Amino acid sequence: KFEFKFPDGFWDKYWDEHPLPDIEIPESTEAEPEETEPKETEPEVTELEAPVIIKSQFYHGRYQKLWIEWDAVEGAESYEVLITKADGETIEYTTESTIVYDSGAQCPRVYIDEKSTWASATVKVRAVCGDVVSEWSEEKKIGCDMLHNF
């Protein structure tokens, strides 16, 4: 630690030897408007294509998960995903991504007593941009990597 003291009058002498330049203040303080080019704006979305589902699978095992993936739609801000089980129960997701990866999901297959068989669920996706929504994608069955027994 050290202490440094300027001698008395140091700053007075410094400013005498190094005067500040004169600054002119303009008479008018109103800035004249600059000519600017119009800002480019994003075109308004009036129609969206329907997404195409690429993958729809449920994985069992140590780490079970539901994985649904689709192609991106130009202009989409988000997507609505609708899963319909064979018994009519529906599960909905809304995401800004082009994938649903849910490690907390249960297998969407259900047992149908009348047919004595297991039935797959289906999934469909649509794109959303504000109030504009696309048509639903073609429904696709959700695959399952396990044989279900009753």
Side-chain angles (χ1 to χ4, degrees):
K1 182 178 178 180
F2 67 91
E3 188 176 313
F4 185 82
K5 288 189 176 185
F6 288 105
D8 288 339
F10 172 83
W11 289 112
D12 293 332
K13 182 178 177 188
Y14 176 85
W15 291 118
D16 285 342
E17 293 174 1
H18 303 90
L20 291 174
D22 288 335
I23 300 173
E24 284 188 36
I25 299 175
E27 290 181 27
S28 173
T29 57
E30 288 184 34
E32 291 188 28
E34 293 182 26
E35 287 188 34
T36 59
E37 293 182 29
K39 292 182 183 179
E40 289 186 33
T41 58
E42 292 289 320
E44 184 176 328
V45 174
T46 58
E47 189 174 349
L48 295 166
E49 296 289 322
V52 175
I53 298 173
I54 300 166
K55 181 180 200 124
S56 58
Q57 184 73 32
F58 185 85
Y59 297 94
H60 288 271
R62 185 172 181 192
Y63 302 105
Q64 69 180 27
K65 59 191 167 278
L66 174 66
W67 185 341
I68 300 169
E69 189 173 351
W70 55 92
D71 65 343
V73 173
E74 186 176 339
E77 295 173 342
S78 63
Y79 300 90
E80 295 176 351
V81 180
L82 181 64
I83 296 171
T84 305
K85 293 184 176 185
D87 63 3
E89 179 186 349
T90 60
I91 302 167
E92 298 177 28
Y93 294 91
T94 300
T95 180
E96 293 176 3
S97 174
T98 58
I99 189 169
V100 167
Y101 183 91
D102 187 349
S103 60
Q106 298 297 314
C107 182
R109 293 188 83 171
V110 294
Y111 187 76
I112 306 296
D113 288 324
E114 298 83 41
K115 296 181 180 181
S116 299
T117 188
W118 288 90
S120 298
T122 59
V123 61
K124 57 186 179 180
V125 181
R126 68 180 176 183
V128 179
C129 181
D131 292 335
V132 179
V133 294
S134 73
E135 295 292 324
W136 286 104
S137 67
E138 287 188 34
E139 281 190 336
K140 190 166 183 180
K141 287 189 176 186
I142 298 174
C144 179
D145 70 347
M146 181 179 189
L147 289 176
H148 292 266
N149 298 317
F150 187 67

